[in-house]
Amino acid sequence: MTVLGRVSGNDDETFTFVTPAQPPAGEFVSFPLNDGRTCLARVVCSTPLATFPNEFLYDPFLEPNECADFIGMETTPFKLCQVESKVVGYFDEAFGEFVDPKVMPLPGTPVDFASDELVSAVNKLGEEEPGSAFVGNVLGRKTLVSLSVKDMVSQHLSVIASTGAGKSYTVGVLMEEMMSDKNQAAILVLDPHGEYRTLTELANHKDFASAKYRPEVRVWDPDQINIRIADLRFSDILAIMDDGNMSERMIYFFQGIYREVRRRARADGIDITYAALREEVLAHCDGEDDNAKTYNAILWRLAKLENPIFDDYQHMDLSQFFRPGRLTVLDLSGREEFYQQLVATVLLRRLFEARKGTVTGKYTSESTGDQYIPYPTFVVLEEAHRFAPQNGEAKSKAVLKTILAEGRKFGIGVCLISQRPAKLDQDSLSQCMTQITMRIINPVDQNQVSAAVEGLGRDLLRELPGLARGQAVISGIGLNTPTMVQVRKRKTSHGGMDIDAPIEWRNYSESGASEAQEDSQPDVSYLEEDSKDWF
Amino acid sequence: MALGEIVRIESQGRFVFKASDDDGVKPEIGTYVRVGDVIGLVVDKRQSVREELIPYIPTEMSGKYLPYGDDLSENYFGVASLGMLSGAGPDHEAMVSVSLKDAVDEVGQEDLMRFHTVDGRFKARYIDRLVPEVGPTPMLLATRRLQNVMGDDNAPMILAVQRYLRGLVR
């Protein structure tokens, strides 16, 4: 057995050991327990055992070690590190998880780097096993890291990172894994920036297709996304109409109109339509009295439903969106935030009702419509703070919170992705039981993550600002213990890459397009002629 | 150059010598001395009783209370042993006993250099050991003497050590 160092002391939560090596924070080490088992621990931080007197460091050309040796100072402590470590536990084969040994190592106990075999126990599943998502390797090691897809889907996932830290890249890796033959997931991505379109490469990629299985990826362009009027509730329509100036009287009158139109539609067995609402309002617009003026004002506001996103008959068909082995990307780029929220609201509400109805037996394969969804689904919300903001209201927040709280029972998993966790509803974030946290620099965001993510200890939180692109701390139930991970390379192209402005500027100039643009400028010489008189 | 002779041995590494009565140069704190092969450093000047009490001691009792009472000036010097300098070279950790009446000489420049040259490099490895015992000031004063023999190459190092010792004085 090799020895990395020896335990020097401990407190309630951590122990320290002295070593000539300098293991990085997050590295796994191990020590023997009295019963012969090996206990895993994680390095919190390494500090030098002794520091040179500052005066030895004033002259940068002077070797401080020589100064210390000159006066007979013991120089060995300057070459040693005191490493603070946190006990993870011994791996219990029967439970399949790490168990806290409830004892700290005694002073003098040997500590070593944990074996790859022990570290691989951070995974609940092997990387090739069905139900696993191989996301990368333990930082600084070759040990592979695979998340439990079952736990991610049943108890939700969050991906939090500053811009440019690799969020969408990491989600792309997850999508690849979930869409592979071993998982064949049913996923919907709400994509406000149109950066997940490259996932279409999945369908023809040799690593994902097999004789029996080929993943399907469908991208819905912004103009293909419709909200059926009948899928909107009264409060939704009111939110669309009300620009903040609707009086109580107008709301009251419109409520009457809505009820009447809905009553008639139900009686006729048809859906409520914009045309029907407009017709009913119009019927009250004649005359010169105050009521007619109010109805005219309602009519003017109701016209907002003429936005092309709304349709009397076409709608988002759940059975088209969700199917095992199918990844649906809703490209919402170019849509106003309000409409993005509205799409999410309607979609999530219908999905929740459909899954709940399917699980409880209300909807069966015999049912008409698209509400029979007999398999779990996974919804990815990019820019989640738009859909569930911490402050302020969003139409989608309530239904999202319902799904996060109750989705487990009905097989709806949600992945919340955000670069501003401080702006993301804390309750929603805390419902995500697997967390992928990448580089976060903003202290406010760090505090929010700290408050919402139980599994992420203070020691790992401290590492977040220093993580490089593609490095992540994965915590929660998807793994057996929080682990620092280097995310693997994607097999499909990444759609969210930074624009290289200098290259694009140069390419534009070299293409000759610049001159062409100059030539196409309108002739304004006559203005110059006229302007002579002005001076 | 003879400075005086040992009048008291306080411990393995500490002794007191009385300066010669002649009007020769008196050692200062930080002066390197040698007693045979033993190299030491003057770390304090002293009298046997607290100076402020001396006027109150009756003359007939001065033989009892002032063993060095015939000379109230600071002619007694405490020395801390630093090590040995023999034909085999310097040894900064050796502790060799000295005896009463042994002559105490000042260390010459050449021996000072030999004593501080270990494996071809300049060392004063006794400093860190002695600072807790005698305080940083004698060591600081000693390094000023070392400056003269260490040469320009070692000047930055001695400067760093002096800064360090000055920091301890504060």
Side-chain angles (χ1 to χ4, degrees):
Chain A
M1 179 199 169
T2 57
V3 177
L4 172 66
R6 296 271 174 183
V7 173
S8 57
N10 62 54
D11 61 23
D12 292 345
E13 292 185 351
T14 60
F15 68 91
T16 53
F17 65 93
V18 175
T19 172
Q22 197 175 4
E27 174 63 274
F28 287 108
V29 293
S30 64
F31 61 89
L33 293 169
N34 287 338
D35 58 8
R37 285 187 285 208
T38 304
C39 187
L40 188 70
R42 194 176 50 242
V43 170
V44 175
C45 64
S46 297
T47 49
L49 192 59
T51 54
F52 288 109
N54 287 341
E55 292 84 355
F56 291 1
L57 307 171
Y58 291 173
D59 182 349
F61 299 104
L62 192 62
E63 177 60 56
N65 222 38
E66 277 186 26
C67 286
D69 188 44
F70 171 73
I71 63 167
M73 207 177 252
E74 177 60 73
T75 54
T76 310
F78 302 125
K79 297 167 190 159
L80 296 175
C81 275
Q82 186 160 262
V83 182
E84 188 183 347
S85 307
K86 198 170 186 178
V87 171
V88 173
Y90 62 86
F91 188 70
D92 190 312
E93 296 281 351
F95 289 105
E97 60 183 33
F98 287 102
V99 178
D100 187 348
K102 310 285 185 202
V103 290
M104 285 288 180
L106 294 172
T109 304
V111 178
D112 197 6
F113 284 115
S115 66
D116 283 340
E117 188 191 350
L118 183 60
V119 173
S120 66
V122 301
N123 298 310
K124 290 184 168 177
L125 298 163
E127 78 273 11
E128 291 300 328
E129 275 185 73
S132 71
F134 161 50
V135 287
N137 52 285
V138 176
L139 199 59
R141 285 175 177 262
K142 289 179 179 168
T143 314
L144 305 179
V145 177
S146 299
L147 291 174
S148 161
V149 173
K150 177 188 146 209
D151 291 321
M152 263 182 348
V153 172
S154 66
Q155 296 188 57
H156 317 299
L157 168 73
S158 67
V159 182
I160 303 293
S162 299
T163 180
K167 291 186 303 293
S168 52
Y169 190 96
T170 305
V171 173
V173 168
L174 276 175
M175 296 298 99
E176 288 177 359
E177 289 294 316
M178 293 178 77
M179 293 310 296
S180 65
D181 193 12
K182 63 185 174 186
N183 289 312
Q184 305 186 13
I187 303 176
L188 173 73
V189 181
L190 291 184
D191 181 10
H193 300 306
E195 58 190 330
Y196 289 92
R197 301 180 76 95
T198 54
L199 286 169
T200 48
E201 293 169 22
L202 272 171
N204 296 312
H205 199 289
K206 61 179 173 50
D207 288 356
F208 301 103
S210 67
K212 289 188 293 181
Y213 170 75
R214 178 182 289 270
E216 200 182 343
V217 182
R218 291 190 176 184
V219 178
W220 291 65
D221 289 326
D223 55 1
Q224 290 177 300
I225 299 166
N226 295 114
I227 300 173
R228 187 171 54 184
I229 298 295
D231 290 334
L232 296 172
R233 290 181 177 170
F234 173 72
S235 61
D236 299 332
I237 297 176
L238 205 57
I240 296 163
M241 293 169 63
D242 190 2
D243 52 5
N245 293 323
M246 271 184 90
S247 63
E248 292 288 325
R249 180 185 167 90
M250 286 163 72
I251 294 169
Y252 178 74
F253 280 16
F254 180 65
Q255 200 168 18
I257 296 280
Y258 183 83
R259 281 182 181 157
E260 176 57 22
V261 171
R262 188 178 60 184
R263 187 191 60 75
R264 283 208 302 262
R266 279 182 181 167
D268 296 343
I270 57 171
D271 288 331
I272 195 167
T273 62
Y274 167 64
L277 285 168
R278 186 169 186 279
E279 201 176 308
E280 185 64 22
V281 178
L282 268 173
H284 293 78
C285 283
D286 289 340
E288 292 295 318
D289 60 352
D290 283 350
N291 286 358
K293 284 180 186 168
T294 303
Y295 280 112
N296 270 300
I298 291 171
L299 188 65
W300 180 76
R301 286 171 171 79
L302 190 64
K304 290 184 180 175
L305 290 179
E306 287 176 14
N307 187 309
I309 198 169
F310 301 113
D311 196 285
D312 277 343
Y313 304 105
Q314 287 188 354
H315 73 134
M316 297 177 283
D317 189 336
L318 292 181
S319 61
Q320 292 292 311
F321 286 175
F322 297 101
R323 191 169 294 178
R326 180 178 289 177
L327 171 70
T328 306
V329 178
L330 288 194
D331 183 351
L332 296 170
S333 57
R335 290 282 186 208
E336 285 173 46
E337 195 168 314
F338 174 79
Y339 290 109
Q340 291 180 359
Q341 289 170 358
L342 205 60
V343 168
T345 309
V346 172
L347 207 56
L348 292 174
R349 190 193 291 148
R350 293 191 65 231
L351 175 64
F352 185 67
E353 285 166 3
R355 278 296 296 156
K356 190 175 174 182
T358 304
V359 170
T360 55
K362 182 179 173 187
Y363 304 120
T364 63
S365 56
E366 310 295 318
S367 305
T368 56
D370 60 348
Q371 290 173 304
Y372 176 64
I373 309 279
Y375 35 77
T377 57
F378 192 61
V379 180
V380 178
L381 289 168
E382 179 63 80
E383 302 287 5
H385 52 270
R386 293 188 185 180
F387 303 105
Q390 170 72 1
N391 299 313
E393 273 306 309
K395 291 298 298 173
S396 45
K397 187 169 167 179
V399 63
L400 191 55
K401 286 177 86 162
T402 304
I403 289 181
L404 286 164
E406 299 180 38
R408 185 181 182 182
K409 287 182 281 187
F410 306 116
I412 306 173
V414 174
C415 171
L416 299 181
I417 308 166
S418 178
Q419 55 181 306
R420 288 308 313 272
K423 290 184 174 178
L424 178 60
D425 178 54
Q426 195 161 355
D427 288 345
S428 303
L429 187 58
S430 62
Q431 292 287 338
C432 297
M433 292 299 164
T434 300
Q435 306 93 19
I436 299 179
T437 315
M438 306 179 86
R439 185 178 61 222
I440 299 176
I441 297 164
N442 188 322
V444 179
D445 288 332
Q446 283 181 31
N447 290 341
Q448 181 81 346
V449 169
S450 168
V453 181
E454 284 173 34
L456 192 66
R458 230 173 302 159
D459 55 318
L460 288 173
L461 191 71
R462 213 163 37 188
E463 297 302 314
L464 295 181
L467 292 177
R469 184 186 288 223
Q471 295 178 346
V473 176
I474 302 183
S475 53
I477 60 165
L479 288 178
N480 280 326
T481 188
T483 305
M484 290 174 80
V485 176
Q486 176 67 55
V487 176
R488 76 156 169 80
K489 207 164 179 288
R490 260 178 77 165
K491 293 174 180 172
T492 53
S493 309
H494 177 38
M497 278 188 297
D498 292 341
I499 292 170
D500 189 334
I503 285 183
E504 295 208 7
W505 289 331
R506 221 167 39 240
N507 288 346
Y508 181 78
S509 301
E510 286 164 6
S511 69
S514 179
E515 283 84 19
Q517 198 176 27
E518 292 277 333
D519 294 344
S520 68
Q521 292 297 312
D523 181 11
V524 290
S525 56
Y526 65 93
L527 287 176
E528 288 167 16
E529 285 296 314
D530 289 349
S531 64
K532 284 174 189 166
D533 301 334
W534 299 350
F535 301 102
Chain B
M1 187 172 66
L3 293 172
E5 63 177 30
I6 296 174
V7 295
R8 186 171 181 178
I9 295 169
E10 295 183 328
S11 65
Q12 177 80 355
R14 298 294 294 272
F15 58 88
V16 177
F17 76 91
K18 182 177 183 290
S20 305
D21 289 337
D22 57 33
D23 293 334
V25 179
K26 296 271 174 62
E28 294 294 331
I29 291 176
T31 300
Y32 286 91
V33 297
R34 71 180 301 166
V35 181
D37 287 345
V38 175
I39 303 291
L41 183 74
V42 176
V43 294
D44 63 10
K45 296 178 183 181
R46 66 172 75 167
Q47 292 171 310
S48 60
V49 293
R50 280 157 52 194
E51 198 172 359
E52 66 271 22
L53 298 179
I54 290 170
Y56 303 101
I57 298 173
T59 312
E60 64 274 17
M61 298 299 284
S62 65
K64 181 176 180 182
Y65 294 107
L66 294 176
Y68 324 125
D70 56 340
D71 183 359
L72 297 184
S73 62
E74 291 177 327
N75 273 349
Y76 299 89
F77 300 89
V79 174
S81 178
L82 304 179
M84 279 180 65
L85 179 62
S86 62
D91 185 343
H92 291 182
E93 288 173 7
M95 284 288 166
V96 179
S97 300
V98 291
S99 306
L100 284 173
K101 303 283 187 185
D102 277 354
V104 178
D105 298 317
E106 186 168 359
V107 181
Q109 293 285 84
E110 195 180 319
D111 282 347
L112 201 56
M113 187 179 249
R114 275 184 61 216
F115 182 67
H116 288 96
T117 306
V118 180
D119 298 331
R121 308 194 70 151
F122 226 83
K123 305 285 177 197
R125 285 182 172 150
Y126 48 83
I127 292 181
D128 194 55
R129 169 169 53 89
L130 283 179
V131 163
E133 202 179 313
V134 303
T137 305
M139 295 299 148
L140 182 61
L141 296 170
T143 57
R144 289 187 183 165
R145 290 172 190 271
L146 287 181
Q147 264 176 310
N148 300 326
V149 293
M150 280 181 74
D152 291 344
D153 288 353
N154 292 307
M157 187 156 65
I158 202 78
L159 180 65
V161 170
Q162 285 175 339
R163 280 175 174 154
Y164 165 63
L165 292 169
R166 233 175 264 130
L168 295 181
V169 172
R170 281 194 291 270

